[in-house]
RNA sequence: GUGGCUGUAGCUCAGGUGGUUAGAGCACCAGAUUGUGGAUCUGGGGGUCGGGGGUUCAAGUCCCCUCAGCCACCCCA
């Protein structure tokens, strides 16, 4: 049992799970299409530099969660831990920034070396949307609306809450950061070990610490509101106003901070209480500086990503399994004939399940288990008459049908 | 990376304080039904008790290590 295990944090997706994943992904894709977000697929690995530059050396993802390796050419390669960096890289390397604004929707596996727990795996799947080249707050509103719309389409509207915050522009951030560090430094010794560590690298993240004393200290900390530049404040007000116009409900969460360096202005998370400690279901924000950091032309962007596993855990719907027609030969000659008949019927567009083995009773049981719509019995008698018996497995009715008419008669069971 | 809980058949789980050939239900296979499913009955195959080491006359049971799962911290999707 212990001999052949999947790598820790990875899972096989059996047909049922694949169908529920697909349901999530296809539902989202259909909604994204209405917003004119075009599909894009980037490689699942990139040069390590792509992620280090964009996510920031101090981010947790880069400092401890990346699957990196050296390839045979000596290049450092990393399995993508998130989707935005790859999409932005593609835009730059493909010269796509000529045609701004760009709207992309993507989906696929991501990799993070973390300790697995509920709603968290080392290989997991995300869907995501990116809007590039729109500096206006209407872009933020659209991208959030898209996320809300998808959650609604998945029937998860009632289970999720939209939390919203602004990280301001560069000027707001540095001013706030300085003030915050000054304040927190006074309580340095009372802070948790984790937070003391963060004080130097990423002080903003102390704001959403779960440690009790940290929270008490944070409660008295200077708030970001007071440090927002007029431009940043105005921008955020426009985003909030836009959401109000669409009647999309949100909660302002001043402690909401994004873990990745490239975010600015709007930060948002759709959260749930249904998934234990992993409450975030769909999250993102604005990343105006990202293109430039990567060496592209200065281009604003907003986007989000959502975890397919997490969405699938909450939505109990799945793509329905197709209902086949079971082709059941009886006897040697019929068995030989069945192969070509199955081929013929499949080419006519029918879903044919051919079991290859077992007696009639056995195969009928299988047909039933596979939820077959009908069974086509092909025996010696029928063959002599160039016919087959067609049984409706829902009603139990059965009739003999000429082989020539089979396609036409089976069309009723599609 | 840190901590807690768990690990017996494909799945869900029984197996008081160590004591012969490790059980059940479901699932699977076969038969009752040599050409008729969803029901029922009968029989059958499956386990190096996660792995390794140790204590013991004797270990599924006790000890150590290791791996994995779950949950939490951290962080996030």
């Amino acid at each position: 049992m212990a001999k052949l295990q999947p790598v820790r944090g990875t899972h096989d997706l059996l047909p049922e799970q694949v169908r529920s994943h697909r349901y999530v992904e296809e539902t989202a894709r259909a909604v994204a299409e209405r917003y004119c977000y075009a599909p894009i697929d980037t490689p699942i690995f990139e040069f390590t530099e792509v992620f280090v530059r964009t996510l920031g050396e101090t981010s947790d993802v880069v400092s401890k969660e990346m699957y990196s390796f050296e390839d045979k050419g000596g290049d450092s390669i990393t399995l993508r831990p998130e989707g935005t960096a790859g999409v932005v890289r593609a835009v730059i390397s493909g010269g796509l920034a000529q045609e701004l604004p760009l709207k992309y929707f993507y989906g696929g596996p991501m990799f993070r070396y973390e300790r697995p727990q509920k709603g968290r795996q080392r290989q997991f799947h995300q869907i995501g949307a990116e809007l590039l080249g729109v500096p206006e707050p209407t872009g933020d509103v659209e991208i959030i609306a898209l996320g809300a719309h998808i959650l609604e389409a998945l029937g998860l509207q009632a289970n999720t809450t939209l939390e919203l915050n602004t990280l301001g522009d560069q000027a707001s951030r540095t001013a706030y950061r300085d003030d915050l560090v000054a304040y927190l430094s006074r309580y340095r010794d009372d802070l948790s070990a984790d937070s003391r560590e963060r004080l130097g690298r990423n002080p903003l993240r102390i704001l959403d610490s779960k440690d009790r004393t940290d929270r008490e200290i944070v409660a008295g900390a200077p708030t970001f509101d007071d440090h927002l530049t007029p431009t940043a404040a105005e921008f955020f007000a426009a985003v909030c106003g836009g959401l109000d116009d669409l009647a999309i409900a949100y909660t302002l969460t001043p402690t909401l901070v994004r873990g990745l360096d490239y975010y600015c202005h709007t930060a948002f998370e759709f959260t749930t209480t249904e998934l234990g400690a992993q409450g975030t279901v769909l999250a993102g924000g604005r990343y105006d500086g990202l293109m430039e950091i990567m060496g592209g032309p200065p281009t604003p962007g907003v986007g989000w990503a959502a975890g397919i596993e997490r969405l699938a855990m909450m939505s109990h719907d799945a793509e329905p399994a197709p209902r086949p027609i079971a082709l059941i030969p009886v006897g040697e000659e019929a068995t030989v004939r069945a192969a070509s008949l199955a081929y013929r019927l499949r080419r006519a567009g029918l879903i044919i399940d051919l079991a290859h083995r077992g007696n009639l009773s056995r195969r009928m049981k299988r047909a039933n288990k596979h939820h077959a719509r009908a069974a086509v019995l092909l025996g010696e008698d029928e063959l002599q008459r160039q016919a087959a018996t067609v049984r409706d497995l829902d009603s139990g009715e059965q009739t003999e049908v000429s082989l020539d008419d089979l396609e036409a008669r089976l069309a009723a069971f599609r």
Side-chain angles (χ1 to χ4, degrees), chain A residues 255-314:
Chain A
T255 55
L256 175 63
V257 179
R258 308 266 65 215
L260 310 178
D261 278 7
Y262 55 60
Y263 286 108
C264 62
H265 287 291
T266 318
F268 61 92
E269 278 185 16
F270 285 86
T271 58
T272 180
T273 51
E274 291 175 23
L275 298 179
Q278 266 57 46
T280 307
V281 152
L282 185 155
R286 178 164 278 275
Y287 48 86
D288 290 346
L290 183 57
M291 282 276 283
E292 220 176 334
I293 293 174
M294 293 191 68
T299 309
V302 220
W304 53 254
I308 295 180
E309 281 83 358
R310 290 182 186 178
L311 293 171
M313 270 190 271
M314 295 176 70

Side-chain angles (χ1 to χ4, degrees), chain A residues 96-154:
Chain A
L96 306 173
Q98 309 276 338
E99 309 169 42
L100 299 174
L102 295 167
K103 299 179 172 192
Y104 290 125
F105 178 86
Y106 65 84
M110 304 293 165
F111 307 84
R112 255 122 98 160
Y113 190 88
E114 292 185 277
R115 191 92 172 246
Q117 77 186 69
K118 189 180 179 73
R120 198 169 83 179
Q121 308 169 251
R122 289 184 173 180
Q123 175 176 345
F124 60 104
H125 303 264
Q126 284 188 336
I127 48 175
E130 312 290 353
L131 172 59
L132 290 152
V134 177
E136 291 85 4
T138 51
D140 305 53
V141 173
E142 180 178 274
I143 208 91
I144 292 172
L146 171 59
H149 198 151
I150 288 171
L151 292 175
E152 187 189 340
L154 290 170

Side-chain angles (χ1 to χ4, degrees), chain A residues 8 29 63 82 85 115 119 151 187 343 403:
Chain A
R8 184 169 205 192
R29 197 177 292 282
S63 58
E82 58 100 43
R115 191 92 172 246
L151 292 175
Y187 300 91
Y343 188 53
L403 287 181

Side-chain angles (χ1 to χ4, degrees), chain A residues 1 26 49 97 144 163 168 175 210 215 237 288 295 321 358 363:
Chain A
M1 195 177 182
E26 291 314 311
E49 192 58 19
I144 292 172
E163 298 187 46
K210 285 179 187 169
R215 288 191 164 201
D288 290 346
R363 294 198 197 206

Side-chain angles (χ1 to χ4, degrees), chain A residues 46-375:
Chain A
E46 299 273 352
F47 289 118
T48 299
E49 192 58 19
V50 170
F51 301 113
V52 174
R53 285 254 289 278
T54 58
L55 305 176
E57 300 266 7
T58 59
S59 69
D60 277 54
V61 173
V62 170
S63 58
K64 54 188 189 196
E65 295 172 2
M66 295 207 304
Y67 270 98
S68 300
F69 60 95
E70 190 174 293
D71 71 8
K72 292 184 179 180
D75 289 311
S76 179
I77 303 296
T78 294
L79 262 32
R80 65 183 183 191
E82 58 100 43
T84 304
V87 170
V88 168
R89 195 234 77 228
V91 167
I92 297 173
S93 33
L96 306 173
Q98 309 276 338
E99 309 169 42
L100 299 174
L102 295 167
K103 299 179 172 192
Y104 290 125
F105 178 86
Y106 65 84
M110 304 293 165
F111 307 84
R112 255 122 98 160
Y113 190 88
E114 292 185 277
R115 191 92 172 246
Q117 77 186 69
K118 189 180 179 73
R120 198 169 83 179
Q121 308 169 251
R122 289 184 173 180
Q123 175 176 345
F124 60 104
H125 303 264
Q126 284 188 336
I127 48 175
E130 312 290 353
L131 172 59
L132 290 152
V134 177
E136 291 85 4
T138 51
D140 305 53
V141 173
E142 180 178 274
I143 208 91
I144 292 172
L146 171 59
H149 198 151
I150 288 171
L151 292 175
E152 187 189 340
L154 290 170
L156 301 177
Q157 196 181 24
N159 316 314
T160 51
T161 311
L162 169 59
E163 298 187 46
L164 192 64
N165 191 208
T166 176
L167 307 173
D169 49 25
Q170 200 57 49
S172 318
R173 270 229 259 189
T174 35
Y176 178 57
R177 187 189 160 111
D178 292 349
D179 255 29
L180 184 65
V181 171
Y183 168 84
L184 291 172
S185 299
R186 281 189 272 143
Y187 300 91
R188 187 168 218 295
D189 297 340
D190 301 325
L191 287 172
S192 66
D194 280 329
S195 289
R196 239 173 290 148
E197 180 70 23
R198 287 185 281 228
L199 194 54
R201 297 170 178 231
N202 243 310
L204 293 190
R205 269 195 271 159
I206 299 176
L207 293 177
D208 66 354
S209 169
K210 285 179 187 169
D211 183 88
R212 247 174 107 188
T213 36
D214 281 1
R215 288 191 164 201
E216 285 170 24
I217 295 170
V218 165
T223 60
F224 194 59
D225 279 4
D226 306 330
H227 298 73
L228 275 187
T229 60
T231 341
E234 200 180 304
F235 188 93
F236 189 53
V239 173
C240 294
L243 291 173
D244 292 339
D245 288 344
L246 304 190
I248 292 175
Y250 56 89
T251 314
L252 292 178
T253 310
T255 55
L256 175 63
V257 179
R258 308 266 65 215
L260 310 178
D261 278 7
Y262 55 60
Y263 286 108
C264 62
H265 287 291
T266 318
F268 61 92
E269 278 185 16
F270 285 86
T271 58
T272 180
T273 51
E274 291 175 23
L275 298 179
Q278 266 57 46
T280 307
V281 152
L282 185 155
R286 178 164 278 275
Y287 48 86
D288 290 346
L290 183 57
M291 282 276 283
E292 220 176 334
I293 293 174
M294 293 191 68
T299 309
V302 220
W304 53 254
I308 295 180
E309 281 83 358
R310 290 182 186 178
L311 293 171
M313 270 190 271
M314 295 176 70
S315 140
H316 299 293
D317 291 313
E319 201 179 74
R323 297 189 66 186
I325 293 168
L327 179 57
I328 304 179
V330 179
E332 264 179 56
E333 195 194 336
T335 301
V336 172
R337 291 282 299 274
S340 58
L341 182 57
Y343 188 53
R344 192 184 110 195
L345 296 175
R346 286 166 179 155
R347 300 220 295 173
L350 296 161
I351 302 168
I352 303 297
D353 185 23
L354 189 57
H356 295 107
R357 57 183 318 178
N359 58 26
L360 177 58
S361 168
R362 178 86 203 94
R363 294 198 197 206
M364 284 297 282
K365 280 178 183 163
R366 175 191 163 92
N368 194 56
K369 197 163 60 183
H370 289 204
H371 208 53
R373 184 70 187 76

